[in-house]
Amino acid sequence: MGQAGGALSDGVLKKILLSYAYVAIWIFLSFTVIVYNKYILDKKLYNWPFPISLTMIHMAFCSSLAFAAVRIFRLVEPAALTRRVYLSSVVPIGALYSLSLWLSNSAYIYLSVSFIQMLKALMPVAVYSIGILLGKDSYKANTMSNMMAISLGVAIAAYGEAKYDSWGVFLQLGAVAFEATRLVMIQILLTSKGISLNPITSLYYVAPSCLAFLSIPWLLVEYPVLKQQIAGVQFDLAIFGTNSLCAFALNLAVFLLVGKTSALTMNVAGVVKDWLLIAFSWSVIKDTVTPLNLFGYGLAFLGVAYYNHTKLQALKAKEAQKKSSQPSDEEESGKMLEAREREGGDGIGIGIGMGRKGDAQS
């Protein structure tokens, strides 16, 4: 009996250590990509102020690796998507995703890393509001009060921002709105049809359409500027290659973290990452973080934490009613959506689709 207990303890310990490893990998990659994007786009650092071009490089890189994994090496099987489903479901999601990434990366040119993380706290507010508008969620007075508290906290943080830029705030809020719409549309267009995509197949289907949509504003906005300044533009293949590789790895890490642990784990890890980014932005990048910033973000954080707690409690209650021990696609998609609500997007190719826990092993 003692041996059985010891074996059980070893198994539990191994599971705990693996969970911490998944959390550490995700925090490291998410932290790295955000700071890396800021370094590349900031005019005072690497000075590549072309967010559409950077996003297109990410999408082209991810599309290529996903194509190789699916079609050449056959590491994963493609999803059974008809042309009609692809055009009616995947393409609109790709369009929303391209707009979200474009605006999110553009915000790094004008705002500090710390302030952007604070603005991302509005993601649950946007998802809930758009969910109500599109009939995916129902209005609840207590939930709306919580959303107002989060909004108030972000407003206080914005009021206390030392280097406030209205255009940068507009870009980041636009990115949050498009990302929230994309998340709700995933639930409406894909989950309702029983379509489940792992991170590789997500990139395989969505990244090319995202790349195609990004090419339109790129041709109108950035291509003329790049054409005129081509002699003075620096392009380091090593920097952009490693940056794209980190973005691709983060896409896998998000799915692995939620698939092997839970959305709650990612929520907690996200809090740690946010505060680390704020501390890094203040201490290393030398961005100004005011006490009013921290007070406002603290208020918003409490609202987000309470919102996620209530949603996870509701999900646990629903799962308790299920006789089967395996979660359904809809429940697992709900977990992924909650995680993405907390994360709010990093301006890189992550969290495109939904998937089962088993898919993470593909």
Side-chain angles (χ1 to χ4, degrees):
M1 188 170 181
Q3 289 180 346
L8 180 62
S9 298
D10 290 341
V12 172
L13 180 61
K14 183 179 179 181
K15 189 174 182 179
I16 292 173
L17 291 176
L18 281 174
S19 296
Y20 277 115
Y22 296 142
V23 168
I25 291 170
W26 175 78
I27 289 179
F28 172 77
L29 288 172
S30 183
F31 187 99
T32 300
V33 171
I34 290 174
V35 174
Y36 214 157
N37 284 355
K38 173 65 175 178
Y39 168 75
I40 291 173
L41 293 166
D42 198 304
K43 295 179 181 179
K44 297 179 181 179
L45 300 173
Y46 186 78
N47 191 26
W48 174 273
F50 304 107
I52 306 176
S53 299
L54 179 63
T55 310
M56 289 181 71
I57 291 170
H58 287 172
M59 291 297 100
F61 185 87
C62 291
S63 296
S64 301
L65 288 187
F67 179 84
V70 174
R71 293 298 180 186
I72 299 176
F73 300 105
R74 301 190 181 279
L75 299 176
V76 294
E77 290 294 325
L81 293 181
T82 63
R83 178 174 294 185
R84 182 178 178 181
V85 171
Y86 181 81
L87 293 176
S88 64
S89 300
V90 177
V91 171
I93 290 170
L96 290 167
Y97 196 44
S98 64
L99 289 168
S100 172
L101 292 176
W102 170 20
L103 298 182
S104 180
N105 278 335
S106 298
Y108 283 104
I109 299 175
Y110 305 96
L111 302 176
S112 66
V113 170
S114 58
F115 187 43
I116 286 177
Q117 296 307 119
M118 296 175 189
L119 291 175
K120 285 179 182 179
L122 287 171
M123 182 59 69
V125 180
V127 171
Y128 181 66
S129 301
I130 293 170
I132 292 175
L133 290 174
L134 297 180
K136 190 63 182 176
D137 216 330
S138 58
Y139 176 84
K140 295 178 182 177
N142 59 339
T143 304
M144 185 55 72
S145 299
N146 190 25
M147 298 298 103
M148 295 299 293
I150 295 172
S151 301
L152 176 62
V154 174
I156 293 173
Y159 182 78
E161 176 62 18
K163 297 180 180 178
Y164 181 88
D165 187 286
S166 298
W167 179 242
V169 171
F170 173 78
L171 291 171
Q172 184 56 44
L173 293 181
V176 168
F178 283 119
E179 176 66 4
T181 306
R182 183 184 74 90
L183 291 170
V184 176
M185 293 302 287
I186 285 175
Q187 292 285 295
I188 295 173
L189 297 177
L190 294 183
T191 307
S192 62
K193 297 178 181 178
I195 299 172
S196 182
L197 302 176
N198 64 41
I200 299 296
T201 53
S202 294
L203 290 171
Y204 176 74
Y205 288 110
V206 180
S209 66
C210 185
L211 182 62
F213 280 108
L214 284 168
S215 65
I216 299 172
W218 181 77
L219 287 170
L220 297 173
V221 178
E222 290 189 1
Y223 176 69
V225 179
L226 283 167
K227 191 176 181 180
Q228 291 180 356
Q229 302 178 1
I230 191 67
V233 172
Q234 56 175 335
F235 186 89
D236 191 318
L237 188 60
I239 286 180
F240 286 93
T242 53
N243 178 246
S244 299
L245 185 61
C246 287
F248 181 80
L250 180 54
N251 182 73
L252 302 182
V254 169
F255 191 87
L256 184 65
L257 178 60
V258 179
K260 294 295 186 180
T261 57
S262 67
L264 178 60
T265 302
M266 186 171 181
N267 290 335
V268 175
V271 172
V272 176
K273 185 209 69 176
D274 287 347
W275 287 109
L276 284 174
L277 279 168
I278 292 172
F280 182 85
S281 179
W282 170 72
S283 61
V284 179
I285 305 179
K286 302 301 180 183
D287 287 330
T288 303
V289 179
T290 67
L292 200 56
N293 273 147
L294 296 177
F295 174 76
Y297 179 66
L299 179 61
F301 156 70
L302 290 175
V304 172
Y306 178 74
Y307 172 71
N308 280 305
H309 172 73
T310 55
K311 289 202 72 175
L312 287 167
Q313 290 298 111
L315 183 62
K316 287 178 181 178
K318 185 185 291 184
E319 287 180 337
Q321 296 175 354
K322 300 289 184 180
K323 294 181 180 180
S324 174
S325 59
Q326 292 295 327
S328 66
D329 290 343
E330 184 177 355
E331 288 171 339
E332 192 61 27
S333 296
K335 289 184 180 182
M336 289 288 281
L337 178 60
E338 287 171 22
R340 290 293 297 132
E341 285 179 28
R342 173 60 185 81
E343 179 57 17
D346 287 331
I348 36 79
I350 67 173
I352 296 174
M354 303 299 174
R356 303 180 187 88
K357 286 189 176 181
D359 290 335
Q361 299 172 355
S362 300

